[in-house]
Amino acid sequence: MRPENYQAKSQPPSNEYELNFGPNHPGIEGNYAFKVKLNGDEVLEARADAGYLHRGFEKLMEGRLWIQNIALVPRICVPDPVPMEVCYSLAIEEIGGLQAPERAQWIRVMQLEMSRLAAHLFAFGGHAATTGMYTPMFWGVADRDLVLDRFEELTGGRVYSIYNIPGGVRRDIPDGFLQRLSSLLDYLESRLPDYDNLFFTNQVFVKRARDVGKMTQEQALKWGVTGPNLRATGLAFDVRRDDPYLVYDRIEFDIPTEPGGDALSRNLVRRAELKQSIHILRQVIDRLPSIKGPIRCPIPNPLAWNVPAGEAYTRVESSKGELAYYVVSTGGDKPYRVHVRGPSSMHAVQVLENLAVGSRLEDIAQIMFSLDACPPEVDR
Amino acid sequence: MSDIAYKDKGSILRPIKTLGFFGRKAVTEKLEPRPAAANYRGFHVNDWEVCIGCSTCQKVCDNAAISMVKIPSLPEDPVKGIRNERPAIDYGRCCWCGLCVDICPTSSLSLTTEYVHTCREDELDSYFILPDPKGIHAEHFPRGWSKSEDADLVDLERQPMEELDAEERLKSFDEMVEGFTDQQAIIEASRCVQCGMCHDSCPTHMHAPEYIRAIWEGNAEEAVRQIYRSNPFSHVCGRVCTHRCETACSIGRRGEPVAIRWLKRYAMDAVPDLRIREIAAEGKVDYISGKKVAIIGAGPAGLTAAFDLIRKGHEVTVFEALDKPGGMTRYGIPEYRLPYDRLDADVAVITSLGVKIQYNTRIGEDISFSELERNHDAVLVTIGLQQGRSTRIPGSDHQQVKKAVDLLRNITQGKAFTVPHSAVVIGGGNVAMDIARSLARLQKEQYGEVRITLTALEDFDHFLADPEEVKEAREEGIEILDSRGPKQCIISDNGELSGLMTLRVVSIFDQDGRFAPRYDDSDNQMHAADMVIEAIGQMTDISLFGDELTERLEWKRGRLKVDQDGHSSEPWLWSAGDMVSGPDVVHAVADGHRVAASIEKHLAVPGS
């Protein structure tokens, strides 16, 4: 366009304006852009833009050997990587007709719950920060680090454990690990009242979060909400109980729910789940020593492993909700297609966009963090 | 009211009080490096003594962070499966997943508990390291993530090969090994990590990784195509090769090597003979060079050279003294190891390309050497070692003292001879095993029992025959005695052979490594037998050259002197195979290729 032909588009007089929220902001664990149209403080329209953290995981997986992907999948969700590994492994086991030995299944449950603890500690700390309270964030992150210490001991890596492999797990548990895990659980349990005093029953948080980002159970189901966010609308749905995998059907645990459907309820569900995860882990600690046997079923040489043609859809309950892998094999040494159903892709797109409309600008970060979405999981 | 007790007035110098903080103890603490967990996945270490440079770590690395670096100062031995390459790691790419450790066939690679590395901008290359036993900063950190038995990604166990049991074997000369099923072959092929040690160690450098991969992909035709790139005797080699490849196989470092020989056999058996001929013809030129080559001896070396030369468009005629092709593979190797129809199939591929074989034609008798020279542009002599050597001990000239090669030839040709009731074999190599086990079958058939004793100079730690041959021979009822040297054949008064006297061997070689066995005379044993068979080596019958040519040629310790390509001192004459090198089929094939390349080079010169 020639400059002399330029004409500024004339706009009718309006109070409306657009605001770019992100991609870096305290409302979410990672890069995520959220474009909102406001009238004063009131949100009129909201668009999520997930592309800032696109790393092309699903496409990358098609070019890598089945086993090489175990180093890739945990990266899809940094705060809660274990469900990624387990779910991917379960899918391959289903297509390939493999059965992970019982000991491996218990070890997987152990890691999954450790990962849930770590993720929830991270999430409530993060939410507190959006409320302006930084102490809970420091506590949450510091206590999560203690869980990571146990991950380091078990898997050799603090964050990306890369410990699960189709057929089982890669190493047996180190000597004395269960005792150390047990004392960690005692410590974390002793911290729960502190978290409550500091955050979950703190009126600054309660009053701030109540009725913020409220959705009904019908809305939640329509939008594909799962996990703690769904349970915060009063529906006790949990993949661990309703479609049990591994050895969850042999473990006792409650499924906490809250009726409110708002940011407060979502956090209270996570708080209750901290206790449940500790409860599950104690059962694992009791049972695991008596379960002998291998930690992995025999698998072919990874460099020449053709998983038989077929497809599988496996799902697990991650800290964010229902995580599923749809894996297709054409009988080759690499996946033909892997689709990841990340729970965050619902929570951070259609749910967030809907909940934001009608809310106030200052509530957006509250809504976002209370949904506990993980950006890389949105755009794989 | 505010908690802060502020005053309206005060000295403007009060802030200077804060300088007092300089004198206080620091609130912050110095951060000491935190020791990592015992299982930590930190920087790599690699035990260079154990590492063989197989590059399997490189292949499994999902970040392509590993490259193999040649280290000239390290030893290299293709026959033992050792390369002087070691993995180097680019920490700009590595994700510390540890798959390299879990798949390492030798267990040389580990991760340590060391995890801190930082550098100035001009030292960015320090992120590219060549792990050695000392670690990235030569600080000998303890090992973290290292190989554990239950987490090994290498499949150490080979697929079982079905074999006839000893009782069944003895009943006939039927092939004793049954071969892999499709399923077994695919699983066995899947064990291969494609390191290529087999290719490097093979005398003829067969493309084993490629054909194993093709078998794994279920494409036996492609496997045959890869096989024919380097070996036209693959039915034979798939059965009786001495399989140096399997000795070099990196999987064999800790487990059972991939059954490369049986996989080759599987591929050859899986494809119809006619299709194999089509595949073998794929590389043949579509013109005729007009050059004529004569080859004497239709053994593996001669026919391999014929195969190469016919594919280059030359006219090749092979002259064979006996009535069937194959040389020692037919007349030396018993049928229970190599069925003749499989050998015929290999030869048929070669003749299908246009190689003419004139049987029952003995050079020097039926056709003179000078005639060959006159009518051909090149002559290749591959007559092998067809004369058995004698121990020359007292009594060894008795008519019941036989040479193993002669007997084996008789058995193949179906010539009648009196099977001994009991026999002693002198020798500890595979030929000794072959004759002992062949006679065992004949004894079983005729007399219902096996009475054969095999006496070898070597002790079992240094035995010459393959361990599996020894095991199978024992299963078939053959008594094998090690460290026994032949003293004399005992002839009774009526002139009948009654047995062999042996002495215990003290040493076989002298200080200079020369063959000079010493015996303990006090430890002698008598082995009763009505036949003694000498299987102590073979030599070439050079009478075909004739006096005049023998005079002209250069010789070295009774063997024709040739250069490394098999070219003799005469410009038109080459030699290859057992008669100049040795000692087995695959070496003969390799030699055949080498000499064919030399002849081809010579023929390409105008006016040659």
Side-chain angles (χ1 to χ4, degrees), chain B residues 545-574:
Chain B
F545 288 113
D547 292 343
E548 189 261 336
L549 185 57
T550 306
E551 192 64 32
R552 249 170 40 213
L553 288 166
E554 287 180 35
W555 299 85
K556 192 179 171 187
R557 290 200 196 139
R559 282 186 172 191
L560 183 64
K561 192 178 166 194
V562 291
D563 68 7
Q564 57 182 5
D565 296 326
H567 205 166
S568 76
S569 49
E570 289 293 306
W572 51 274
L573 185 68
W574 281 261

Coordinates of all heavy atoms in Angstrom, one line a residue, chain B residues 545-574:
Chain B
F545 N 50.8 -78.7 -13.2 CA 51.5 -77.6 -13.9 C 52.5 -78.2 -14.9 O 52.9 -77.4 -15.9 CB 52.3 -76.8 -12.9 CG 51.3 -76.0 -12.0 CD1 51.2 -76.2 -10.7 CD2 50.6 -74.9 -12.6 CE1 50.4 -75.4 -9.9 CE2 49.8 -74.1 -11.8 CZ 49.7 -74.4 -10.5
G546 N 52.9 -79.4 -14.7 CA 54.0 -79.9 -15.7 C 55.3 -79.4 -15.3 O 55.4 -78.3 -14.7
D547 N 56.3 -80.1 -15.8 CA 57.7 -79.7 -15.3 C 58.1 -78.3 -15.8 O 58.7 -77.5 -15.1 CB 58.7 -80.8 -15.9 CG 58.5 -82.1 -15.3 OD1 57.8 -82.1 -14.2 OD2 58.9 -83.1 -15.8
E548 N 57.8 -78.0 -17.1 CA 58.3 -76.8 -17.7 C 57.7 -75.6 -16.9 O 58.4 -74.7 -16.6 CB 57.9 -76.8 -19.1 CG 58.6 -75.7 -20.0 CD 57.6 -74.5 -20.2 OE1 56.4 -74.7 -20.1 OE2 58.1 -73.4 -20.4
L549 N 56.4 -75.6 -16.7 CA 55.7 -74.5 -16.1 C 56.1 -74.4 -14.6 O 56.4 -73.3 -14.1 CB 54.2 -74.6 -16.2 CG 53.4 -73.5 -15.7 CD1 53.8 -72.2 -16.3 CD2 51.9 -73.8 -15.8
T550 N 56.2 -75.6 -14.0 CA 56.7 -75.6 -12.6 C 58.0 -74.9 -12.4 O 58.3 -74.1 -11.5 CB 56.8 -77.0 -12.1 OG1 55.5 -77.7 -12.3 CG2 57.1 -77.1 -10.6
E551 N 58.9 -75.1 -13.4 CA 60.2 -74.5 -13.4 C 60.1 -73.0 -13.5 O 60.8 -72.2 -12.8 CB 61.0 -75.1 -14.6 CG 62.5 -74.8 -14.6 CD 63.2 -75.4 -13.4 OE1 62.7 -76.5 -12.9 OE2 64.1 -74.8 -12.8
R552 N 59.2 -72.5 -14.4 CA 59.0 -71.1 -14.6 C 58.4 -70.4 -13.5 O 58.7 -69.2 -13.2 CB 58.1 -70.9 -15.9 CG 58.9 -70.4 -17.1 CD 58.2 -70.4 -18.4 NE 56.8 -70.0 -18.3 CZ 55.9 -70.5 -19.2 NH1 56.2 -71.5 -20.0 NH2 54.6 -70.2 -19.1
L553 N 57.5 -71.0 -12.8 CA 56.8 -70.3 -11.7 C 57.6 -70.2 -10.4 O 58.6 -70.9 -10.2 CB 55.5 -71.1 -11.3 CG 54.4 -71.1 -12.4 CD1 53.4 -72.1 -12.1 CD2 53.7 -69.7 -12.4
E554 N 57.2 -69.2 -9.6 CA 58.0 -69.0 -8.4 C 57.2 -69.7 -7.3 O 56.0 -69.7 -7.2 CB 58.0 -67.5 -8.0 CG 59.0 -66.8 -8.9 CD 59.1 -65.3 -8.6 OE1 58.9 -65.0 -7.4 OE2 59.3 -64.5 -9.5
W555 N 57.9 -70.3 -6.3 CA 57.3 -71.1 -5.3 C 57.7 -70.6 -3.9 O 58.8 -70.1 -3.8 CB 57.6 -72.6 -5.4 CG 57.1 -73.1 -6.7 CD1 57.7 -73.1 -8.0 CD2 55.8 -73.7 -7.0 NE1 56.9 -73.6 -8.9 CE2 55.7 -74.0 -8.3 CE3 54.8 -74.0 -6.1 CZ2 54.6 -74.6 -8.9 CZ3 53.7 -74.7 -6.7 CH2 53.6 -75.0 -8.1
K556 N 56.9 -70.9 -2.9 CA 57.3 -70.5 -1.6 C 56.8 -71.6 -0.7 O 55.6 -71.8 -0.5 CB 56.6 -69.2 -1.2 CG 57.1 -68.5 0.0 CD 56.3 -67.2 0.3 CE 56.6 -66.7 1.6 NZ 55.8 -65.5 1.9
R557 N 57.8 -72.3 -0.1 CA 57.5 -73.5 0.8 C 56.5 -74.4 0.2 O 55.5 -74.8 0.8 CB 57.0 -73.0 2.1 CG 58.1 -72.3 2.9 CD 57.7 -72.3 4.4 NE 58.6 -71.3 5.1 CZ 58.1 -70.5 6.0 NH1 56.8 -70.5 6.4 NH2 58.9 -69.7 6.6
G558 N 56.7 -74.8 -1.0 CA 55.8 -75.8 -1.7 C 54.5 -75.2 -2.2 O 53.7 -75.9 -2.8
R559 N 54.2 -73.9 -1.9 CA 53.0 -73.3 -2.4 C 53.4 -72.3 -3.5 O 54.4 -71.7 -3.4 CB 52.3 -72.5 -1.3 CG 51.5 -73.4 -0.3 CD 50.7 -72.6 0.7 NE 49.8 -73.4 1.5 CZ 48.9 -73.0 2.2 NH1 48.7 -71.7 2.3 NH2 48.1 -73.8 2.9
L560 N 52.4 -72.3 -4.4 CA 52.6 -71.3 -5.5 C 52.7 -69.9 -5.0 O 51.9 -69.5 -4.1 CB 51.5 -71.4 -6.5 CG 51.5 -70.6 -7.8 CD1 52.7 -71.0 -8.6 CD2 50.3 -70.7 -8.6
K561 N 53.7 -69.2 -5.4 CA 53.9 -67.8 -4.9 C 53.0 -66.8 -5.7 O 53.1 -66.8 -6.9 CB 55.3 -67.4 -4.9 CG 55.6 -66.1 -4.1 CD 57.1 -65.8 -4.2 CE 57.3 -64.4 -3.7 NZ 58.6 -63.9 -4.0
V562 N 52.1 -66.2 -5.0 CA 51.2 -65.2 -5.7 C 51.3 -63.9 -4.9 O 51.6 -63.9 -3.7 CB 49.8 -65.7 -5.8 CG1 49.7 -66.9 -6.8 CG2 49.2 -66.1 -4.4
D563 N 50.9 -62.8 -5.6 CA 50.7 -61.5 -4.8 C 49.4 -61.5 -4.0 O 48.7 -62.5 -4.1 CB 50.9 -60.3 -5.8 CG 49.7 -60.2 -6.7 OD1 48.7 -61.0 -6.6 OD2 49.8 -59.3 -7.6
Q564 N 49.2 -60.4 -3.4 CA 48.0 -60.4 -2.5 C 46.7 -60.6 -3.2 O 45.6 -60.9 -2.7 CB 48.0 -59.1 -1.7 CG 47.9 -57.9 -2.5 CD 48.0 -56.6 -1.7 OE1 48.1 -56.7 -0.5 NE2 47.9 -55.5 -2.4
D565 N 46.7 -60.3 -4.6 CA 45.5 -60.5 -5.3 C 45.4 -61.9 -6.0 O 44.5 -62.1 -6.8 CB 45.4 -59.4 -6.4 CG 45.2 -58.1 -5.8 OD1 44.6 -58.0 -4.7 OD2 45.8 -57.1 -6.4
G566 N 46.4 -62.7 -5.8 CA 46.4 -64.1 -6.3 C 47.1 -64.1 -7.7 O 47.0 -65.2 -8.4
H567 N 47.8 -63.1 -8.1 CA 48.4 -63.1 -9.4 C 49.8 -63.7 -9.3 O 50.6 -63.3 -8.4 CB 48.6 -61.6 -9.9 CG 48.7 -61.5 -11.3 ND1 48.6 -60.3 -12.0 CD2 49.0 -62.4 -12.3 CE1 48.7 -60.5 -13.3 NE2 49.0 -61.7 -13.5
S568 N 50.1 -64.7 -10.1 CA 51.4 -65.4 -10.0 C 52.5 -64.6 -10.8 O 52.2 -63.5 -11.3 CB 51.3 -66.8 -10.6 OG 51.2 -66.7 -12.0
S569 N 53.6 -65.1 -10.9 CA 54.7 -64.5 -11.6 C 54.5 -64.5 -13.1 O 55.1 -63.7 -13.9 CB 56.0 -65.1 -11.3 OG 55.9 -66.5 -11.4
E570 N 53.6 -65.4 -13.6 CA 53.2 -65.4 -15.0 C 52.0 -64.4 -15.2 O 51.0 -64.4 -14.4 CB 52.8 -66.8 -15.5 CG 53.9 -67.8 -15.6 CD 54.9 -67.4 -16.7 OE1 54.4 -67.3 -17.8 OE2 56.1 -67.3 -16.4
P571 N 52.0 -63.5 -16.2 CA 51.0 -62.5 -16.3 C 49.6 -63.1 -16.6 O 48.6 -62.4 -16.3 CB 51.5 -61.7 -17.5 CG 52.5 -62.5 -18.2 CD 53.1 -63.4 -17.2
W572 N 49.5 -64.3 -17.1 CA 48.2 -64.8 -17.5 C 47.7 -65.8 -16.4 O 46.6 -66.4 -16.6 CB 48.3 -65.6 -18.8 CG 49.5 -66.6 -18.8 CD1 50.7 -66.3 -19.2 CD2 49.4 -67.9 -18.4 NE1 51.5 -67.4 -19.0 CE2 50.7 -68.4 -18.6 CE3 48.4 -68.8 -18.0 CZ2 51.1 -69.7 -18.3 CZ3 48.8 -70.1 -17.7 CH2 50.1 -70.6 -17.8
L573 N 48.4 -66.0 -15.4 CA 48.1 -67.1 -14.4 C 47.8 -66.5 -13.0 O 48.6 -65.8 -12.5 CB 49.2 -68.1 -14.3 CG 49.0 -69.3 -13.5 CD1 47.9 -70.2 -14.1 CD2 50.2 -70.1 -13.2
W574 N 46.7 -67.0 -12.5 CA 46.3 -66.6 -11.1 C 46.0 -67.8 -10.3 O 45.8 -68.9 -10.9 CB 45.0 -65.7 -11.1 CG 45.2 -64.3 -11.5 CD1 45.3 -63.2 -10.7 CD2 45.3 -63.8 -12.8 NE1 45.4 -62.1 -11.4 CE2 45.4 -62.4 -12.7 CE3 45.3 -64.3 -14.1 CZ2 45.5 -61.5 -13.8 CZ3 45.4 -63.5 -15.2 CH2 45.5 -62.1 -15.0

